[in-house]
Amino acid sequence: MTATTDESAFAAENAFGKGEPNIAYAQYFTGDSFLNNLVTDPECVVGVHNVTFAPGCRNNWHVHHATSGGGQVLICTAGSGWYQEEGKDAVSLTPGVVVFTRAGVKHWHGAKADSWFSHIALGVPGENTSNEWLEPVDDAHYAAL
């Protein structure tokens, strides 16, 4: 799929569904995001969520902490987005791209300005896991990508 701001065209490609407005985490996002929990069985120890970002939406810088294990896997499924670790160049995300973020790495991810974007987020099990939400991605920094 090519980058598109056309929500109907994007919805046809978004195999895991847009989900509901991501109200619980809205304070950690710039723009509109949506969450579709893909596994609701309480026996599952891995969080599996389809996160959809409206064009220009991105989450704040954040860190997945763990004393061992932990981190996050992103599987890009539709649209076009960005992933960036602190101190590194941003990586273009398109369907089929998989990213593993190790515990303790400051990063952000979200849609490109001209595209809807979805990824499946998998929380990697570990010991003493937690998320630390940090500052928003600066508008000038984002616009320069």
Side-chain angles (χ1 to χ4, degrees), residues 13-60:
E13 299 292 327
N14 191 5
F16 294 97
K18 181 177 169 183
E20 300 299 321
N22 189 6
I23 296 167
Y25 293 92
Q27 65 184 328
Y28 306 118
F29 284 72
T30 299
D32 295 326
S33 67
F34 304 85
L35 187 62
N36 189 7
N37 295 324
L38 300 179
V39 178
T40 57
D41 187 318
E43 295 291 320
C44 183
V45 298
V46 177
V48 183
H49 312 282
N50 187 54
V51 184
T52 298
F53 301 78
C57 177
R58 67 266 187 196
N59 54 30
N60 289 6

Side-chain angles (χ1 to χ4, degrees), residues 31-142:
D32 295 326
S33 67
F34 304 85
L35 187 62
N36 189 7
N37 295 324
L38 300 179
V39 178
T40 57
D41 187 318
E43 295 291 320
C44 183
V45 298
V46 177
V48 183
H49 312 282
N50 187 54
V51 184
T52 298
F53 301 78
C57 177
R58 67 266 187 196
N59 54 30
N60 289 6
W61 289 96
H62 59 284
V63 178
H64 304 281
H65 294 288
T67 54
S68 67
Q72 185 178 53
V73 174
L74 304 176
I75 303 169
C76 306
T77 59
S80 187
W82 292 112
Y83 169 86
Q84 187 172 29
E85 294 181 1
E86 184 176 45
K88 296 185 178 180
D89 291 339
V91 175
S92 181
L93 301 177
T94 54
V97 173
V98 177
V99 174
F100 170 57
T101 306
R102 295 182 185 281
V105 174
K106 184 177 177 180
H107 67 288
W108 69 272
H109 35 101
K112 290 185 178 175
D114 64 350
S115 184
W116 282 85
F117 175 63
S118 276
H119 63 53
I120 294 179
L122 302 159
V124 177
E127 293 183 21
N128 303 309
T129 59
S130 66
N131 291 339
E132 179 183 9
W133 290 99
L134 303 166
E135 71 278 5
V137 176
D138 179 82
D139 288 340
H141 174 86
Y142 178 79

